[in-house]
């Protein structure tokens, strides 16, 4: 994801680069989606996420029973840095102690949920930059009682 951060600075201009510290590297970007951008076009889609999740599920389902238990789920967490902090319970939709392929693959990507600003199930570089761009200075919020005193 370094290219996204560099790309952001390239479009920010020299004045902004000099006065604004670089944004803290976001966890979703640091470990993020390049591993599942199947066609390497820099656009991250729901279909690409599902393909990636399906491959990870196949890798983790060591006994080939179509379900992941907690010991197999460790393989999911080790398979990609973006899944290192994944929670078994998040994927185990019916809380039966097993994660089916459907439960795993159909679970939305946290990355897409965060950065897909227009809801088209595609995350572009522009959407990432818009989400991670530093906000301008914010003054103190006006409280309703301040207007009257």
């Amino acid at each position: 994801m370094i290219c996204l951060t560099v790309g952001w600075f390239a479009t920010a201009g020299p004045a902004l680069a000099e006065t604004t510290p670089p944004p803290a590297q976001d966890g979703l970007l640091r470990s993020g989606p390049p591993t599942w951008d199947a066609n390497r076009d820099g656009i991250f889609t729901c279909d690409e996420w599902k393909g990636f999740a399906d491959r990870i599920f196949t890798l983790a389902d060591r006994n080939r029973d179509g379900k992941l238990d907690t010991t197999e789920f460790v393989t999911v967490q080790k398979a990609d840095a973006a899944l290192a902090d994944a929670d078994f319970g998040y994927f185990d939709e019916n809380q039966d102690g097993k994660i089916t392929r459907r439960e795993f693959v159909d679970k939305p990507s946290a990355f897409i949920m965060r950065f897909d600003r227009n809801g088209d199930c595609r995350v572009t570089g522009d959407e990432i930059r818009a989400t991670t761009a530093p906000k301008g200075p914010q003054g103190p919020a006006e409280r309703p009682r301040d207007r009257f005193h």
Side-chain angles (χ1 to χ4, degrees):
M1 244 349 142
I2 293 171
C3 64
L4 292 174
T5 303
V6 171
W8 180 83
F9 278 112
T11 61
L16 184 59
E18 291 170 8
T19 60
T20 306
Q25 187 65 336
D26 186 294
L28 286 174
L29 295 177
R30 181 178 52 250
S31 60
T35 58
W36 52 271
D37 180 16
N39 61 3
R40 304 288 185 240
D41 65 354
I43 297 172
F44 311 102
T45 68
C46 290
D47 288 340
E48 288 174 323
W49 167 254
K50 287 182 178 198
F52 173 73
D54 189 64
R55 290 187 300 277
I56 296 294
F57 185 94
T58 300
L59 174 72
D61 186 16
R62 290 183 297 232
N63 64 3
R64 305 291 179 239
D65 68 349
K67 299 174 182 159
L68 302 180
D69 60 26
T70 54
T71 59
E72 290 172 314
F73 192 73
V74 171
T75 302
V76 168
Q77 294 170 313
K78 291 179 180 178
D80 190 85
L83 295 168
D85 295 325
D87 179 55
F88 184 88
Y90 171 75
F91 290 97
D92 185 11
E93 196 170 288
N94 62 2
Q95 302 299 302
D96 66 351
K98 302 278 183 181
I99 301 170
T100 65
R101 184 177 300 272
R102 184 199 58 76
E103 284 176 317
F104 189 75
V105 172
D106 288 347
K107 197 57 93 168
S109 161
F111 179 86
I112 289 179
M113 290 189 313
R114 174 158 179 217
F115 294 105
D116 183 15
R117 297 177 60 96
N118 63 1
D120 66 354
C121 228
R122 296 166 33 97
V123 175
T124 65
D126 288 341
E127 287 174 308
I128 293 170
R129 283 186 292 278
T131 303
T132 59
K135 308 296 183 251
Q138 303 290 321
E142 180 182 352
R143 296 186 322 240
R145 67 181 178 88
D146 290 343
R147 288 183 291 178
F148 303 108
H149 291 114

